[in-house]
Amino acid sequence: MAYFDAASAAPLHPIARQALLASLDEGWADPARLYREGRRARVLLDAARESAAEAVGCRPDELTFTSSGTRAVHTGIAGALAGRRRVGRHLIVSAVEHSSVLHSAELLEAAGGSVTQVGVDRTGSADPAAYAAALREDTALACLQSANHEVGTEQPVAAVAEVCREAGVPLLVDAAQSLGWGPVEGDWSLLAASAHKWGGPSGVGLLVVRKGVRFAAQGPVDERESGRAPGFENIPAIVAAAASLRAVRAEAAEEAARLRELTERIRARVPRLVPDVEVVGHPVRRLPGVVTFSCLYVDGEALLHELDREDFSVSSGSSCTSSTLTPSHVLRAMGVLSEGNVRVSLPPGAAEEEVERFLAVLPGTVAAVREKLGAPAASVVAREEDVLVVDSLGKRCPIPVIELAKVIGDVPVGALVRVLSDDEAARLDIPAWCEMRGQEYVGEEPADRGTAYLVRRVG
């Protein structure tokens, strides 16, 4: 089985396994106690904190171990907002942040605060100037991920941190995807990360709060982890997380170069091997092992199932794989195609032979899914002057785009096709299809049911 979903969770690093098993015998006692077993546990905890702090580039007393990366994000945002409540209750986030950041933003809005979402371009990149424009006198905190979890685009953290520093606003960085590859550059104020992203055990997160940042922990606290992560520390898992972070960092430069070559191979060859594919994410400023592409006329869930049958574990941001039938908020913010979306995220040690096998299997797999889908004939319900009306109400991704593609040649150049759809994915996929196929997307308008999307035939 070729596991190509390291951006969700990396396989446990051998060093993490060794450290976990060894520390089970030494790190089980309460590190707050003064007897021998407690002192042993405290030594392990302190050593892990120092090792992790060195990797992050912070002081050990600035780093807190949490129960997950999500918990680190929630604690960091809540504590920073509370610490600066006299300044105001305005939060800035990018539109492509991890859901843990966006859920914290929703909670702030529900409590009467305000949130500004900074948009991104089609590569998924945020503009530091947009952050500068979003800053206000009542801005308490800004958030920006170091690299995107779905498309791999690396963000201009250092430039945004400088903009925020000049305004006196702290910046929280979600470094979950990038920390295993290297420290986050820039004068950031808070940082969150998750051990299972770099080959550590699940259930361990990091929260760093720089000295001088106003921070007020929320909820019940105790004496552990500076009051920021109450409860008994999972010392064996923490030790394993710190050990694996140190290990992957030692291998990072060489492995990053190798994985970049493999993902560049995928980026270059997939569009040549599979027709009607859009490769998304920044072509250069991206994580070493992540490449994402979307296939027209493909049901994302069916494609993932077929690839699983071929022994490939990949993930998707397609609305077709979602119980809500809405596309990924990342792909939506970028304005790129969402249907048939595939994210390949190679773990350290991924074999070149498996990448080649993936490239060999993919064309036939996509073709089979498209054939199985049947590409049904469009249902033309009306023709008014030069407008062809296509009814795809009640039909889910990717049927509306398939029906549009089948009838676009039936109208003269300059005429309109009006696609009726009640699938939220159509709002993203129809404009993306137009850009890929050289047609003009005119816009949308209300309909009796769903929404009408207008496309003008260019050629």
Side-chain angles (χ1 to χ4, degrees), residues 187-267:
D187 193 15
W188 47 266
S189 302
L190 302 97
L191 180 142
S194 185
H196 73 276
K197 303 291 188 181
W198 65 67
S202 59
V204 179
L206 304 180
L207 172 63
V208 178
V209 181
R210 295 284 200 191
K211 292 297 180 183
V213 175
R214 297 186 66 85
F215 189 93
Q218 299 300 287
V221 300
D222 59 23
E223 73 281 2
R224 299 179 188 276
E225 294 302 304
S226 303
R228 294 171 184 166
F232 201 99
E233 298 93 342
N234 185 347
I235 293 177
I238 288 171
V239 169
S244 59
L245 181 56
R246 187 182 185 92
V248 298
R249 280 291 189 81
E251 307 159 353
E254 181 178 352
E255 189 62 15
R258 194 181 71 85
L259 292 185
R260 283 191 190 280
E261 193 281 325
L262 292 177
T263 53
E264 187 57 41
R265 194 180 304 184
I266 297 172
R267 287 181 64 89

Side-chain angles (χ1 to χ4, degrees), residues 430-445:
I430 290 177
W433 177 88
C434 289
E435 180 159 331
M436 293 176 67
R437 302 310 294 267
Q439 306 299 336
E440 179 187 354
Y441 178 66
V442 178
E444 64 178 70
E445 61 186 24

Side-chain angles (χ1 to χ4, degrees), residues 10-376:
L12 193 66
H13 195 284
I15 294 296
R17 183 184 302 277
Q18 294 172 15
L20 180 66
L21 293 175
S23 58
L24 285 172
D25 291 331
E26 296 290 331
W28 53 268
D30 187 345
R33 299 297 176 235
L34 298 179
Y35 42 71
R36 179 180 305 168
E37 294 85 355
R39 294 198 304 272
R40 287 176 181 166
R42 169 57 63 181
V43 167
L44 289 174
L45 181 59
D46 289 346
R49 195 185 314 279
E50 289 176 5
S51 177
E54 181 181 2
V56 171
C58 68
R59 293 169 38 158
D61 58 354
E62 294 174 330
L63 189 148
T64 296
F65 291 110
T66 65
S67 58
S68 67
T70 294
R71 173 52 59 192
V73 166
H74 291 170
T75 300
I77 292 177
L81 290 173
R84 287 174 50 82
R85 58 185 175 273
R86 292 184 180 179
V87 173
R89 305 183 69 197
H90 176 232
L91 173 67
I92 302 173
V93 301
S94 85
V96 293
E97 295 299 311
H98 188 267
S99 58
S100 59
V101 173
L102 299 183
H103 290 160
S104 291
E106 292 170 0
L107 190 63
L108 175 64
E109 284 187 308
S114 59
V115 176
T116 297
Q117 269 200 15
V118 174
V120 296
D121 62 20
R122 283 185 64 85
T123 70
S125 300
D127 186 351
Y131 267 80
L135 290 166
R136 307 186 326 205
E137 289 186 0
D138 64 338
T139 302
L141 179 67
C143 299
L144 179 64
Q145 59 192 191
S146 56
N148 186 259
H149 48 291
E150 290 195 24
V151 300
T153 297
E154 294 178 333
Q155 299 291 358
V157 172
V160 172
E162 179 63 20
V163 166
C164 292
R165 187 193 65 79
E166 291 177 356
V169 174
L171 175 69
L172 183 146
V173 178
D174 173 10
Q177 291 296 334
S178 73
L179 193 60
W181 297 110
V184 177
E185 301 296 329
D187 193 15
W188 47 266
S189 302
L190 302 97
L191 180 142
S194 185
H196 73 276
K197 303 291 188 181
W198 65 67
S202 59
V204 179
L206 304 180
L207 172 63
V208 178
V209 181
R210 295 284 200 191
K211 292 297 180 183
V213 175
R214 297 186 66 85
F215 189 93
Q218 299 300 287
V221 300
D222 59 23
E223 73 281 2
R224 299 179 188 276
E225 294 302 304
S226 303
R228 294 171 184 166
F232 201 99
E233 298 93 342
N234 185 347
I235 293 177
I238 288 171
V239 169
S244 59
L245 181 56
R246 187 182 185 92
V248 298
R249 280 291 189 81
E251 307 159 353
E254 181 178 352
E255 189 62 15
R258 194 181 71 85
L259 292 185
R260 283 191 190 280
E261 193 281 325
L262 292 177
T263 53
E264 187 57 41
R265 194 180 304 184
I266 297 172
R267 287 181 64 89
R269 288 173 56 183
V270 164
R272 297 202 298 264
L273 294 169
V274 182
D276 297 315
V277 164
E278 181 179 20
V279 180
V280 301
H282 200 282
V284 178
R285 255 189 7 258
R286 56 187 173 85
L287 292 169
V290 177
V291 57
T292 305
F293 56 88
S294 299
C295 307
L296 273 172
Y297 322 133
V298 169
D299 180 302
E301 185 170 6
L303 181 56
L304 262 60
H305 283 319
E306 290 300 320
L307 287 171
D308 182 56
R309 290 191 181 97
E310 296 287 348
D311 290 334
F312 291 104
S313 300
V314 298
S315 65
S316 173
S318 172
S319 61
C320 308
T321 63
S322 168
S323 60
T324 62
L325 294 174
T326 58
S328 146
H329 72 278
V330 172
L331 301 178
R332 187 167 62 243
M334 293 168 62
V336 297
L337 184 69
S338 74
E339 67 184 53
N341 179 260
V342 174
R343 180 188 68 183
V344 174
S345 49
L346 304 177
E352 178 182 4
E353 294 77 12
E354 291 296 343
V355 171
E356 286 296 329
R357 188 170 71 86
F358 176 80
L359 291 170
V361 163
L362 183 67
T365 303
V366 173
V369 172
R370 285 171 172 167
E371 182 179 4
K372 189 178 298 184
L373 196 60

Side-chain angles (χ1 to χ4, degrees), residues 382 384 386-390 393 416-424 426-427 430-431 441-456:
E384 301 174 359
D386 285 337
V387 179
L388 184 68
V389 181
V390 175
L393 293 168
L416 292 175
V417 177
R418 190 170 186 260
V419 183
L420 302 176
S421 177
D422 52 6
D423 182 4
E424 180 65 23
R427 178 167 284 110
I430 290 177
Y441 178 66
V442 178
E444 64 178 70
E445 61 186 24
D448 292 339
R449 287 179 55 205
T451 303
Y453 301 94
L454 298 178
V455 176
R456 189 184 309 279

